[in-house]
């Protein structure tokens, strides 16, 4: 968004000033008037003057400072630093640009991370930091994290590229290269926090500098990587300049050099080539550098980046190169390198695991995705085409036409959000999504064919909503793999219905639903089947899709216009239908046996479920074959919707899980209140679901908690509830600061409780204070998530280095393996040679106590700390066991018991799945 009028640094150029506009609501002079601020601290006014803020910002910041003083018992940071945070909040809130973040940081001596933490600390009540400021802060922090990760990779890469010379010329080349990259990123991308495309732009910039560097500045690998046969740059005569400019020149790109750079940095060369030909070449044209052999001038790059930095009003990216204190990484930050247990290796064949940096993690994920889709083409496979041809109505042409239309929409919207020249990159993402879409569809149909023994899926494959949902899920996986979709908005897009930024820069979920015009409730139906049909999905992507599902249940599916409300209306109208989910079923395990076919063909009305007599069996045959006739004299009942029933089962379990967490924070001394709060919460979801329209599940949860505490005379303020709520995972302050009160009117959750929730449920709430309260709702059974990886190592509770997992054997199935033959033990300490591990296994499997006692492990093992195996709510290592065995033997026995329980549970699940 172009900045409004400011009186900033003296280094501003005429171009910057001409791009500024005057704020419509600001009639005052931008110059700070000292006479107007005599009532304020002199040092505060001096700080404001040094940052050249306006009178309006100064007044707002001082008022905020007074609020902070009253709200906070103790202010840990210096007054000047808090003043700086107040100035940032005020200027951002009323959109009056005065200073850049770096200017503010220098004035109050804070680095980026410290500054972000301080602003968030100011949010001590419901009105201190607005959602607008919080959003700006989140975007700022993400951009900083991405820029830091890119600079760290840049430094490492440059050490491999440039040779050290005595006159420090390589440092100047690196500085110019980094500045040019920052400028390219700022001009080519609207989403400057896009890690992957930014990194690809960095490689393009390095390619340009390497081939224009003097040979003595380069390491041998890159000196030899430059193509020997390079066409000399052609200089266009003045007579022909107009003709040359009439068509875009071909980018001067050294494919051999670019390939070497990509290989060294684990990046896909084809993608980088496309970034070069679209975004980077256009950037070079804007600098008149596309065909000249000249080295980019440092002064010109600095001047142009200065203009961009002053417009963006955030941090100066050049400071990373100087190691400036405002962009230093806090020393306490430790990168998350290890994700799975590692043995303490002392042998010569120790395997070194490279650090899992953000860039490396992104490149690895992309390589894995592209590798898994290598064999999948852009057209339906032979098997999938056969499924299409077996249909009563062949869906092939509709599928292809739909993909063409949605591909256009996706690539255009991607370009609008990421960068004006990124439409081609959007097509690349879309083509990967199409490959995944075809692959998963084929796997789903094979599974359905095996389950139902049918091959005609005409009804499902001619369902447009099914195809759009499947494609949207595939595209969301691709976007998440490239790091372009996350949950920083918590499902809140275009908050409050205001105009917002004129340029779309947010592709976080549920952006994809808007692009393909799909209801969230329809998208939810495909998620579980998609995950089961594609076993190569990484844990991070599975977690991402699970979070998408939760966001849909929490909020997105409850937006006005959602088909969820039509289904609920049909279920409840005329009291002809069963409850969407009876309380008696809460304690029953959640059966994850519904396929996408079941859910998309789930009944809406009786007439829609009856197949034509000539139609062969389809995946919906299982549901449609149910008798629809009623006994004489009875009113026909609407059949129960599978999709709605499963949705509510999952909703109840999600709702109770979140309530239980909040109760553990706030009501640990009143455990008797949790089931009562749950009963009110569940009643609201079942009988007053209109309260969920355009609202969030957690808003009802917090209101139910406050209501019950009120009638039970437990002192719990809403502010306390909100403070605890903010500590829960996947929460957004929009949830409690921006609640729908009436049409078009939003306010805080306290206003929602007083004016809406309490008014609607007052009679029901007061029943809990009577001597005959309502019957408590059963507690839902919280099952193992269907998205967990059963073969993943699980950390033993209470231990740091002990993991357990089911043993994998290609020759033996779990059904025929005995507990003894399944036993495998691995201790997280070094025991030396492998034969000693074999002895441990023999010891555990043997019933001979003497063998256990005479086990030769060389020197006496270190005593292990007590391990707590929290299985079935009991601590098996509580000290009640006999002390006859050694500590090591006791731990092995405990692990054996734990492992046996896991295997028994796994066998039960396998048996149930075979029955299904």
């Amino acid at each position: 968004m172009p900045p409004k009028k400011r009186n900033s640094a003296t280094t501003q150029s005429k171009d910057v000033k001409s791009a500024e506009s005057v704020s419509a609501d600001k009639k005052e002079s931008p110059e700070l008037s000292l006479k107007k601020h005599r009532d304020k601290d002199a040092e505060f006014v001096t700080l404001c003057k040094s940052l050249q803020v306006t009178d309006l910002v100064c007044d707002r910041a001082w008022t905020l400072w007074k609020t902070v003083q009253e709200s906070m018992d103790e202010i840990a940071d210096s007054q000047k630093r808090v003043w700086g945070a107040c100035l940032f909040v005020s200027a951002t809130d009323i959109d009056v640009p005065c200073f850049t973040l770096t200017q503010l940081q220098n004035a109050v001596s804070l680095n980026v991370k410290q500054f972000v933490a301080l602003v968030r600390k100011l949010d001590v009540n419901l009105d201190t930091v607005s959602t607008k400021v919080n959003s700006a802060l989140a975007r700022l922090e993400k951009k900083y994290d991405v820029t830091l990760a890119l600079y760290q990779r840049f430094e490492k890469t440059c050490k491999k590229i440039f040779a050290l010379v005595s006159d420090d010329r390589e440092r100047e080349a690196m500085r110019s290269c980094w500045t040019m990259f920052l400028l390219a990123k700022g001009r080519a991308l609207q989403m400057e926090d896009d890690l992957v495309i930014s990194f690809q732009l960095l490689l393009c910039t390095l390619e340009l500098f390497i081939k224009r560097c003097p040979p003595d500045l380069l390491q041998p690998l890159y000196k030899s990587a430059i193509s020997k046969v390079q066409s000399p740059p052609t200089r266009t005569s003045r007579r022909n300049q107009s003709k040359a400019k009439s068509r875009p020149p071909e980018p001067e790109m050294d494919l051999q050099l670019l390939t070497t750079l990509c290989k060294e940095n684990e990046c896909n060369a084809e993608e980088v080539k496309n970034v070069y030909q679209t975004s980077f070449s256009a950037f070079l044209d804007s600098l008149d550098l596309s065909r000249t052999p000249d080295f980019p001038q440092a002064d010109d790059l600095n001047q142009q980046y200065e203009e961009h930095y002053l417009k963006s009003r955030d941090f100066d990216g050049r400071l990373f190169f100087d190691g400036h204190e405002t962009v230093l990484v806090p020393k306490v930050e430790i990168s998350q390198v290890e994700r799975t247990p590692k043995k303490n290796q002392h042998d010569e064949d120790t395997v070194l695991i490279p650090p899992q940096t953000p860039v490396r993690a992104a490149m690895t994920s992309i390589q894995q995705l592209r590798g898994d889709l290598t064999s999948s083409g852009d057209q339906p496979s032979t098997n999938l085409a056969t499924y299409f041809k077996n249909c009563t109505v062949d869906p092939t042409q509709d599928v292809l036409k739909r993909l063409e239309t949605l591909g256009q929409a996706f690539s255009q919207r991607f370009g609008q959000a990421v960068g004006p020249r990124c439409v081609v990159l959007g097509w690349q993402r879309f083509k990967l999504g199409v490959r995944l879409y075809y692959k998963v569809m084929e796997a789903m149909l094979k599974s359905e064919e095996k389950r139902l023994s049918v091959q005609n899926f005409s009804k499902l494959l001619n369902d447009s909503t099914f195809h759009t949902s499947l494609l949207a899920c595939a595209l969301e996986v691709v976007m998440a793999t490239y790091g372009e979709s996350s949950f920083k908005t918590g499902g809140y897009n275009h908050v409050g219905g205001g105009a917002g930024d004129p340029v779309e820069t947010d592709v976080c979920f549920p952006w994809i639903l808007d692009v393909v015009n799909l209801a969230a409730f329809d998208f939810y139906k495909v998620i579980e089947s998609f995950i089961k049909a594609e076993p190569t999905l990484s844990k991070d992507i599975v977690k991402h899709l699970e979070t998408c599902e939760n966001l849909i249940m929490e909020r997105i599916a409850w937006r006005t216009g959602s088909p969820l409300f039509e289904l609920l209306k049909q279920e409840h109208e005329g009291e002809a239908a069963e409850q969407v989910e009876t309380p008696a079923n809460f304690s029953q395990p959640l059966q994850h046996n519904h396929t996408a076919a079941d859910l998309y063909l789930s009944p809406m009305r009786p007439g829609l479920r009856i197949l034509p007599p000539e139609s062969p069996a389809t995946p919906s045959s299982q549901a449609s074959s149910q008798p629809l006739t009623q006994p004489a004299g009875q009113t026909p009942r609407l059949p129960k919707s599978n999709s709605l029933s499963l949705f509510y089962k999952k909703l109840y379990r999600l709702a109770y899980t979140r309530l239980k967490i909040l109760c553990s924070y706030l009501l640990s001394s009143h455990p008797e209140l949790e089931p009562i709060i749950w009963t009110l919460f569940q009643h609201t979801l079942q009988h007053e679901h209109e309260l969920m329209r355009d609202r969030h599940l957690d808003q009802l949860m917090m209101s139910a908690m406050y209501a019950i505490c009120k009638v039970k005379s437990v002192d719990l303020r809403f502010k306390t509830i909100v403070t605890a709520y903010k500590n829960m995972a996947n929460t957004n302050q929009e949830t409690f600061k921006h609640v729908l009160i009436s049409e078009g009117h939003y306010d805080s959750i306290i206003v929602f409780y007083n004016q809406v929730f309490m008014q609607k449920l007052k009679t029901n709430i007061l029943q809990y204070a009577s001597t005959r309260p309502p019957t408590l709702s059963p507690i839902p059974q919280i099952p193992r998530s269907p998205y967990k990886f059963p073969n993943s190592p699980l950390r033993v509770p209470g231990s740091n280095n002990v993991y357990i997992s089911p043993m994998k054997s290609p020759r033996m199935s779990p059904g025929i393996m005995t507990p003894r033959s399944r036993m495998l033990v691995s201790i997280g300490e070094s025991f030396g040679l492998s034969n000693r591990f074999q002895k441990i296994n023999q010891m555990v499997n043997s019933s001979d106590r003497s063998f256990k006692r005479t086990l030769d492990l060389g020197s006496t093992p270190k005593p292990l700390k007590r391990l707590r195996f929290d299985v079935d709510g009991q601590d098996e290592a509580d000290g009640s066991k006999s002390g006859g065995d050694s500590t090591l033997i006791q731990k092995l026995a405990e692990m054996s018991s734990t492992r046996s329980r896991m295997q028994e549970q796994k066998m039960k699940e396998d048996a149930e799945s075979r029955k299904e």
Side-chain angles (χ1 to χ4, degrees):
M1 180 176 178
K4 299 177 183 176
K5 186 172 182 180
R6 86 173 118 219
N7 185 10
S8 187
T10 57
T11 55
Q12 286 179 309
S13 67
K14 294 180 182 179
D15 292 337
V16 178
K17 291 178 181 177
S18 64
E20 297 165 353
S21 58
V22 183
S23 175
D25 60 347
K26 184 164 67 90
K27 305 293 184 184
E28 58 181 325
S29 166
E31 186 70 28
L32 189 72
S33 172
L34 296 179
K35 293 181 180 180
K36 290 184 179 180
H37 306 291
R38 291 176 178 173
D39 59 323
K40 302 178 181 65
D41 190 296
E43 287 187 29
F44 174 80
V45 178
T46 302
L47 175 64
C48 292
K49 192 162 182 64
S50 69
L51 292 171
Q52 300 181 357
V53 305
T54 64
D55 289 327
L56 179 60
V57 173
C58 182
D59 286 335
R60 291 283 294 261
W62 184 252
T63 302
L64 177 57
W65 159 246
K66 287 298 185 182
T67 303
V68 170
Q69 268 189 315
E70 295 171 2
S71 303
M72 299 177 72
D73 298 330
E74 181 181 353
I75 301 175
D77 292 273
S78 68
Q79 279 192 358
K80 191 173 184 180
R81 289 182 169 182
V82 181
W83 288 342
C86 292
L87 284 167
F88 172 83
V89 169
S90 301
T92 304
D93 219 3
I94 59 178
D95 203 16
V96 178
C98 309
F99 46 78
T100 69
L101 177 63
T102 295
Q103 290 167 350
L104 179 60
Q105 288 177 273
N106 283 325
V108 298
S109 302
L110 281 173
N111 65 41
V112 174
K113 287 293 188 182
Q114 291 170 332
F115 178 77
V116 170
L118 177 57
V119 174
R120 291 201 169 123
K121 197 184 297 180
L122 292 187
D123 195 16
V124 294
N125 59 38
L126 297 183
D127 304 308
T128 304
V129 176
S130 69
T131 55
K132 181 178 180 180
V133 174
N134 193 60
S135 177
L137 203 64
R139 192 177 298 277
L140 183 70
E141 188 175 24
K142 177 74 183 296
K143 181 180 176 181
Y144 169 78
D145 290 338
V146 167
T147 309
L148 173 62
L150 291 169
Y151 181 74
Q152 291 172 337
R153 174 53 73 99
F154 172 76
E155 267 198 326
K156 292 177 183 177
T157 305
C158 284
K159 288 178 182 177
K160 299 177 182 179
I161 294 174
F162 296 103
L164 292 175
V165 291
S166 57
D167 54 3
D168 280 345
R169 280 180 297 148
E170 85 286 348
R171 287 291 295 172
E172 291 308 309
M174 288 170 60
R175 181 187 296 275
S176 295
C177 184
W178 177 248
T179 305
M180 185 175 182
F181 159 68
L182 292 173
L183 184 59
K185 181 164 73 83
R187 288 192 179 177
L189 299 180
Q190 285 157 191
M191 276 178 53
E192 289 196 63
D193 57 1
D194 189 305
L195 176 64
V196 174
I197 300 180
S198 297
F199 179 60
Q200 292 167 342
L201 273 172
L202 177 58
L203 295 184
C204 294
T205 311
L206 285 167
E207 185 269 355
L208 180 84
F209 272 78
I210 291 170
K211 69 189 178 192
R212 298 187 182 189
C213 262
D216 64 320
L217 287 185
L218 298 177
Q219 297 277 17
L221 172 64
Y222 287 94
K223 193 183 299 184
S224 61
I226 299 174
S227 298
K228 304 301 180 188
V229 184
Q230 270 192 334
S231 57
T234 57
R235 297 187 177 275
T236 311
S237 65
R238 291 185 178 180
R239 182 182 301 173
N240 295 324
Q241 276 183 357
S242 60
K243 293 181 180 179
K245 288 183 179 179
S246 64
R247 70 180 197 278
E250 291 293 325
E252 182 194 356
M253 178 173 52
D254 189 327
L255 281 175
Q256 183 177 328
L257 175 58
L258 201 65
T259 302
T260 302
L261 270 170
C262 292
K263 184 178 179 181
E264 288 292 304
N265 288 279
E266 305 141 333
C267 197
N268 183 271
E270 192 62 32
E271 290 188 356
V272 179
K273 178 183 173 184
N274 283 323
V275 171
Y276 198 116
Q277 291 175 331
T278 54
S279 301
F280 192 66
S281 63
F283 165 72
L284 293 180
D285 286 342
S286 71
L287 298 181
D288 293 326
L289 285 172
S290 58
R291 282 191 172 274
T292 70
D294 302 329
F295 206 75
Q297 293 297 311
D299 291 343
D300 291 343
L301 293 174
N302 263 319
Q303 181 184 353
Q304 295 198 48
Y305 178 74
E306 181 82 10
E307 295 171 6
H308 169 74
Y309 149 67
L310 291 173
K311 284 182 181 180
S312 65
R313 292 188 280 130
D314 52 29
F315 55 86
D316 187 343
R318 294 169 297 186
L319 298 178
F320 284 99
F321 193 86
D322 299 316
H324 196 270
E325 61 183 4
T326 58
V327 293
L328 285 178
V329 187
K331 294 181 179 179
V332 295
E333 275 198 8
I334 302 173
S335 61
Q336 297 293 326
V337 177
E338 294 179 283
R339 300 213 177 166
T340 55
K342 258 195 330 186
K343 289 193 302 181
N344 295 333
Q345 297 183 357
H346 303 289
D347 301 330
E348 295 180 0
D349 58 343
T350 299
V351 178
L352 295 177
I353 301 177
Q356 190 74 351
T357 63
V359 174
R360 183 186 297 276
M363 295 302 108
T364 302
S365 299
I366 292 168
Q367 282 182 338
Q368 179 182 336
L369 175 68
R370 295 181 68 92
D372 293 337
L373 298 177
T374 300
S375 59
S376 304
D378 296 330
Q379 298 295 323
S381 67
T382 304
N383 288 338
L384 190 54
T386 302
Y387 281 120
F388 288 172
K389 291 175 183 176
N390 286 340
C391 291
T392 308
V393 179
D394 190 335
T396 305
Q397 292 307 312
D398 285 343
V399 168
L400 297 177
K401 187 176 180 180
R402 186 183 301 107
L403 289 176
E404 182 181 356
T405 302
L406 294 180
Q408 291 281 357
F410 178 86
S411 57
Q412 291 297 324
R413 288 285 296 274
F414 185 89
Q416 290 172 19
V418 179
R421 296 185 178 271
C422 292
V423 174
V424 174
L425 304 182
W427 270 111
Q428 285 183 325
R429 304 284 193 275
F430 186 79
K431 288 178 180 178
L432 275 178
V434 169
R435 289 186 172 194
L436 185 57
Y437 157 76
Y438 282 143
K439 183 184 179 186
V440 172
M441 191 195 312
E442 183 177 340
M444 282 184 176
L445 295 176
K446 284 181 179 177
S447 176
E448 288 294 280
E449 180 182 359
K450 184 178 180 181
R451 185 171 74 99
L452 301 171
S453 301
V454 296
Q455 294 179 330
N456 185 337
F457 298 99
S458 186
K459 193 170 184 181
L460 178 67
L461 293 179
N462 281 283
D463 187 323
S464 177
T465 304
F466 165 71
H467 285 285
T468 305
S469 302
L470 192 60
L471 177 64
C473 196
L475 290 171
E476 183 63 25
V477 167
V478 172
M479 296 284 286
T481 303
Y482 277 82
E484 287 152 347
S485 181
S486 60
F487 305 104
K488 62 187 175 187
T489 63
Y492 291 91
N493 285 7
H494 310 296
V495 170
D501 291 343
V503 179
E504 180 179 39
T505 58
D506 187 0
V507 295
C508 298
F509 186 82
W511 176 82
I512 189 63
L513 303 184
D514 185 41
V515 172
V516 300
N517 193 24
L518 179 70
F521 184 74
D522 290 321
F523 183 83
Y524 126 85
K525 298 177 189 177
V526 83
I527 294 176
E528 188 172 324
S529 291
F530 191 102
I531 293 171
K532 290 178 179 177
E534 184 50 51
T536 63
L537 294 177
S538 69
K539 295 181 184 179
D540 288 339
I541 294 300
V542 171
K543 183 65 178 175
H544 179 89
L545 292 178
E546 188 175 10
T547 307
C548 289
E549 184 180 66
N550 287 345
L551 282 174
I552 290 171
M553 290 189 290
E554 290 169 2
R555 180 176 189 270
I556 308 172
W558 299 98
R559 290 175 178 171
T560 296
S562 170
L564 174 60
F565 288 105
E566 180 62 25
L567 275 177
L568 284 168
K569 180 183 176 183
Q570 292 171 14
E571 289 285 337
H572 289 277
E573 71 183 4
E575 298 182 354
E578 303 172 36
Q579 296 176 0
V580 289
E581 172 66 1
T582 58
N585 293 334
F586 290 172
S587 57
Q588 299 299 315
L590 179 58
Q591 300 298 325
H592 299 283
N593 57 355
H594 289 286
T595 66
D598 288 333
L599 301 184
Y600 284 100
L601 301 175
S602 185
M604 296 287 285
R605 296 187 187 278
L608 298 179
R609 298 189 60 201
I610 302 174
L611 290 175
E614 69 278 7
S615 175
T618 69
S620 65
S621 60
Q622 203 177 42
S624 60
S625 62
Q626 301 297 323
L628 296 176
T629 58
Q630 298 288 329
Q634 289 191 12
T635 305
R637 293 166 60 91
L638 289 170
K640 196 173 178 68
S641 166
N642 286 337
S643 59
L644 183 61
S645 177
L646 182 62
F647 179 86
Y648 254 82
K649 285 179 181 179
K650 288 188 173 185
L651 176 70
Y652 284 150
R653 284 158 175 82
L654 174 65
Y656 177 71
T657 300
R658 295 186 67 73
L659 175 64
K660 189 173 181 66
I661 294 170
L662 192 59
C663 285
S664 70
Y665 289 165
L666 298 169
L667 297 173
S668 57
S669 58
H670 297 279
E672 74 283 356
L673 293 185
E674 181 188 299
I676 302 174
I677 298 169
W678 165 243
T679 301
L680 175 61
F681 190 14
Q682 184 274 323
H683 168 87
T684 308
L685 292 173
Q686 181 175 333
H687 298 288
E688 303 292 347
H689 56 260
E690 276 295 321
L691 283 176
M692 279 294 297
R693 186 182 292 272
D694 296 323
R695 296 191 180 98
H696 194 291
L697 180 70
D698 293 345
Q699 293 164 357
L700 272 61
M701 173 183 72
M702 288 186 277
S703 297
M705 174 176 282
Y706 183 79
I708 295 302
C709 288
K710 201 78 172 169
V711 298
K712 292 295 186 181
S713 301
V714 174
D715 184 21
L716 183 64
R717 293 182 296 170
F718 234 125
K719 179 179 176 181
T720 308
I721 295 175
V722 167
T723 302
Y725 174 75
K726 287 190 292 186
N727 292 323
M728 292 175 62
N730 301 320
T731 60
N732 189 291
Q733 66 168 350
E734 191 79 7
T735 305
F736 52 84
K737 289 189 176 183
H738 195 81
V739 189
L740 177 67
I741 307 301
S742 59
E743 186 176 355
H745 174 51
Y746 293 81
D747 212 314
S748 72
I749 191 169
I750 295 176
V751 177
F752 164 73
Y753 175 83
N754 288 326
Q755 296 186 10
V756 182
F757 187 88
M758 195 259 291
Q759 300 300 327
K760 186 76 173 177
L761 293 162
K762 188 173 184 179
T763 304
N764 187 272
I765 292 170
L766 292 176
Q767 290 179 10
Y768 295 94
S770 69
T771 55
R772 301 183 62 184
T775 305
L776 296 179
S777 297
I779 300 300
Q781 179 178 333
I782 307 302
R784 181 175 64 87
S785 168
Y787 309 127
K788 302 302 182 191
F789 289 80
N791 291 328
S792 299
L794 301 175
R795 185 189 297 274
V796 174
S799 74
N800 292 325
N801 60 350
V802 179
Y803 290 74
I804 53 177
S805 63
M807 189 175 105
K808 303 170 188 176
S809 172
R811 301 184 305 274
M812 301 175 69
S813 66
I816 62 173
M817 293 170 70
T818 64
R820 182 172 298 173
S821 64
R822 280 179 291 164
M823 177 50 57
L824 176 67
V825 177
S826 177
I827 305 297
E829 294 185 0
S830 176
F831 277 76
L833 301 176
S834 60
N835 64 338
R836 293 187 176 172
F837 285 99
Q838 293 173 3
K839 289 184 178 181
I840 292 175
N841 285 333
Q842 292 171 10
M843 169 204 72
V844 176
N845 289 332
S846 172
S847 59
D848 184 0
R849 300 291 265 181
S850 62
F851 177 81
K852 294 179 182 179
R853 292 181 182 277
T854 58
L855 176 67
D856 179 18
L857 289 175
S859 59
T860 306
K862 275 185 183 178
L864 300 178
K865 292 182 179 180
R866 194 175 83 170
L867 305 180
R868 297 181 63 87
F869 292 85
D870 190 9
V871 179
D872 295 338
Q874 296 179 349
D875 179 7
E876 295 184 3
D878 59 359
S880 61
K881 299 182 184 299
S882 64
D885 292 337
S886 68
T887 303
L888 174 62
I889 302 303
Q890 182 177 335
K891 302 317 167 215
L892 293 172
E894 291 164 0
M895 291 202 302
S896 172
S897 173
T898 303
R899 191 178 182 83
S900 296
R901 291 173 186 268
M902 288 183 62
Q903 293 292 357
E904 288 171 7
Q905 180 63 28
K906 182 68 169 61
M907 289 172 66
K908 288 179 181 177
E909 292 173 1
D910 290 341
E912 290 175 1
S913 63
R914 283 196 295 271
K915 289 179 182 178
E916 293 162 5

